[in-house]
DNA sequence: TATGAATGAGTTTTCATTCAT
DNA sequence: CATGAATGAAAACTCATTCAT
């Protein structure tokens, strides 16, 4: 099943077939539940060949993560054409992001769900990609501020937090959209722009939402639902 | 190792110790990589006892999810005291959320990372909790609109999307805060309020961000980074 | 479940309850599949008490075998009243046998199925009972020959073989009757008498069925259905 | 231990070796007491290979039953050449049966002892074989009646009972012969023919052994050896 | 290049059995 | 007399990984 069993293909092609099979299997079954047997069969190859080309399950998974991460970042970068005003860039970058995650659900699952849940090594791999995207978005925010002729006296960390939140919201929306039939990429992008843009605008103009000083007991009072040991 | 090896405790106590050990192990190693052996040892008990009380790895995991989900929702609800204006409720709910996730990183990992990646059954369990929280936030948004004497003609789905995005952003920020030393719960909450509140305000007043009509090629152009099979 | 949970019974009674539960469980589940937990619960006692009274699973099983074997032999002996002519004794002994096995299917299963399949020790225990019954039947055959004023020049071993065959047939019929609704003990007994009596009569009168001398290849030619090693 | 450890054999061969080891182990230890570890070691293979080829303990056991059942039926059918008069057929079939069970004691134990005591599924498997053999014997009985020009007005169920008894006797004799050194297959066969043939002859001629009408108390009087609960 | 044959090491799970009260 | 609490030991099964061809 899967790819038609043709003999003697060039290595590069075979490798892609294996990665296809692996992404699909990892995405659907999860990293640990996916067996090399299943992947090999889906790729239409024998198991030793998989090992010959990809070395080990870990390496195979890493290869999947890298390929999918690259595809996703490239899709986003390709979407957000420089030259446009910052808000337009953000919009089209988001649209490209949602389009891509919708078209490659298994790849998205690998990146967003699997890679982050199975060991530091893999998590670091996606973290790199995420960092890149967050940086990109941060860039856009600052650029937008510049375009609006506002001196961005937003503190460094705050801007990072904002970008982080924006990206996090995008990720959540991507999951939500993938699980909710009938939601288009454009709708998701619009929702997010609506949600975020005005807030950003306000911030750039120095209008912050101010937390009340006195928050007697915020975070205190912990409803102790039976936990025994202190916390960790 | 782990809990001090005290003999002959009443069942209820032992069960909590086991859950503590399990949450910690599942949170750190992941569901599949966590072995019952390790959990038992960390709990200071023999494996058969774990099975006697918690039945199976699946049941144990479910029990963890339930306990942590309950603790988290209760923390949030306890934080967001009704009676306050909606924005204050949102703020304090968020603060409680970030406080809780920071204090219980393993519990948070179980809920946010592990439960969602290891089978529909577990995913459903957290989905329920998430739905509850999203509903709560949706409530708050509508209430805020009412308080602002704005006719909330926001379409149903849009509000859902907003709440979804807000919660998603909160989740991402929680991860980020846990990974970035020195970020306090209040800071995270403030960032998110800043990010979201003005946007929400605009929306409530009917000022939408309008996507450009013509987006020739949005989502097209897929950077083909070597994928072989069509897409799936 | 099972016996009503009454406290503080004399030891003898409790022991019988345990044996009842054990026979039932062993008979239905099989020796190995029966768990001490299940037996204890069915007996309405705690597991340690079972161990206190019966020592171990092996001892418990042995106790079951002994009790059931005793009950069966006594039933048969009680059925075959001495004083009657030999054929009538055989008949009524058989009837008693079929009646008992029909009334105590679990006990019969313990003796005939379980005890013989789970280790030499248990097998020896039933073998003793079986030997006793076979001896009894042998007795009856010889007596019958005497009654018929036939000099029993039947060779020792042949008589043993006959008794063995008769008992074996009875056992098979007991199983068959237990599995076939509507077959009464008297029917089974009659079938067996019909089957055996005339043959015995012939033998006693010296009329043997003579095997053909030349049996070229009897038992040879073994259809070799794939067996690898010689035979054992 | 066991088969010589030769590496890299074709699958079919290894499978037979495994079945050999399994039959031996199951026959001697019993189904439940036999461990896959022991079987694998005896077969000179690692456990995973056993699972790879035979799937599970249940499947392995079923495969054993099937192989041994096939071998036994084929041996019997090959022994009882059609064309001979019915008594000769019966004789040579029996001889073949006793020869086979004597040569393959473990196979016989698997079929006669183990398969019938460890779950309906396995029992059904041998039941099928037994049914086949009983039918074969029934055939022979009717044929014999025809040959003797006797109108076989033997009632259906009675003939079944007879065949059942005959087969049961044969089974018991096989066990007995296996346990008693020095008993040959021909002796067993002769014993059984002597036991049965004249009786069958009588029956076919309508001479039944008639049970006494009045059997006051047959089956009653149950020697109550301590049973507590009613009976079941 | 490609694979059928094979395994070491580990997993979850179960059970007879025993303390301490 | 009776039991809730606890475990050592082993069983079935799986999987990533590697030879030998």
């Amino acid at each position: 099943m899967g790819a038609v069993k043709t003999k003697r293909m060039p290595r590069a092609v075979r490798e892609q077939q294996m990665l296809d099979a692996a992404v699909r299997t990892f995405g659907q079954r999860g990293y640990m539940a996916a067996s090399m047997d299943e992947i090999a069969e889906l790729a239409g190859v024998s198991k030793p060949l998989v090992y010959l080309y990809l070395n080990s399950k870990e390496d195979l998974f890493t290869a999947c993560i890298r390929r999918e991460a690259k595809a996703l970042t490239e899709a986003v970068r390709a979407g957000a054409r420089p030259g446009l005003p910052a808000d337009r860039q953000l919009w089209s970058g988001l649209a490209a992001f949602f389009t891509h995650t919708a078209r490659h659900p298994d790849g998205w699952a690998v990146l967003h769900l699997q890679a982050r849940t199975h060991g530091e090594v893999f998590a670091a791999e996606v973290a790199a990609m995420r960092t890149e995207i967050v940086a990109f978005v941060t860039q856009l925010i600052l650029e937008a501020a510049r375009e609006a002729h506002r001196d961005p006296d937003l503190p460094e960390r705050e801007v990072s937090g904002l970008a982080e939140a924006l990206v996090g919201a995008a990720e959540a929306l991507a999951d939500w959209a993938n699980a909710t039939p009938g939601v288009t990429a454009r709708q998701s992008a619009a929702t997010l722009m609506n949600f975020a843009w005005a807030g950003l605008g306000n911030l750039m103009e120095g209008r912050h939402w101010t937390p009340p000083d006195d928050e007697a007991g915020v975070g205190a009072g912990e409803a102790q639902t039976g936990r025994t040991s202190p916390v960790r």
Side-chain angles (χ1 to χ4, degrees), chain A:
Chain A
M1 238 123 288
V4 183
K5 197 162 190 169
T6 323
K7 298 227 153 183
R8 306 268 153 186
M9 306 216 172
R11 171 161 180 157
V13 177
R14 272 276 146 94
E15 265 186 26
Q16 288 309 319
Q17 291 178 342
M18 290 177 194
L19 287 180
D20 289 343
V23 167
R24 190 149 153 194
T25 310
F26 285 138
Q28 267 157 17
R29 295 252 190 285
Y31 174 61
M32 303 228 70
S35 83
M36 294 299 272
D37 267 301
E38 191 179 357
I39 293 172
E41 190 187 5
L42 186 62
V45 217
S46 76
K47 232 186 322 173
L49 200 59
V50 178
Y51 278 88
L52 189 62
Y53 284 176
L54 275 316
N55 266 327
S56 72
K57 197 185 187 184
E58 290 203 0
D59 284 7
L60 173 56
F61 192 46
T62 306
C64 290
I65 295 175
R66 292 218 175 111
R67 192 182 82 171
E68 296 306 313
K70 195 177 173 210
L72 178 56
T73 5
E74 281 179 3
V76 172
R77 285 206 179 277
R81 306 273 176 66
L84 296 176
D87 67 331
R88 294 286 298 264
Q89 277 192 55
L90 191 53
W91 152 260
S92 57
L94 283 172
F97 173 80
F98 289 119
T99 304
H100 187 91
T101 53
R103 285 203 185 157
H104 305 292
D106 292 330
W108 175 240
V110 164
L111 292 176
H112 184 53
L113 293 179
Q114 299 304 326
R116 306 179 72 190
T117 26
H118 294 101
E120 310 274 309
V121 199
F122 306 135
E125 208 78 36
V126 268
M129 172 198 75
R130 212 172 180 280
T131 301
E132 200 185 324
I133 294 193
V134 170
F136 180 56
V137 170
T138 307
Q139 227 29 51
L140 248 37
I141 293 178
L142 294 175
E143 204 171 315
R146 217 174 303 119
E147 277 170 10
H149 297 289
R150 299 290 166 192
D151 200 6
D153 60 348
L154 297 167
E156 180 65 25
R157 161 160 290 175
E158 185 138 6
V159 178
S160 292
L162 285 173
E164 202 60 53
L166 181 54
V167 171
E171 291 168 341
L173 275 182
D175 286 349
W176 181 67
N178 271 2
T180 312
V183 179
T184 70
R186 292 182 59 114
Q187 279 168 17
S188 302
T191 296
L192 200 46
M193 286 303 287
N194 270 323
F195 178 60
W197 200 244
L200 290 175
N202 272 353
L203 288 180
M204 286 177 229
E205 287 158 21
R207 277 179 275 136
H208 287 229
W209 185 93
T210 347
D213 331 312
D214 155 343
E215 278 302 319
V218 151
E222 285 275 306
Q224 278 298 125
T225 313
R227 206 176 301 269
T228 294
S229 63
V231 154
R232 167 158 108 88

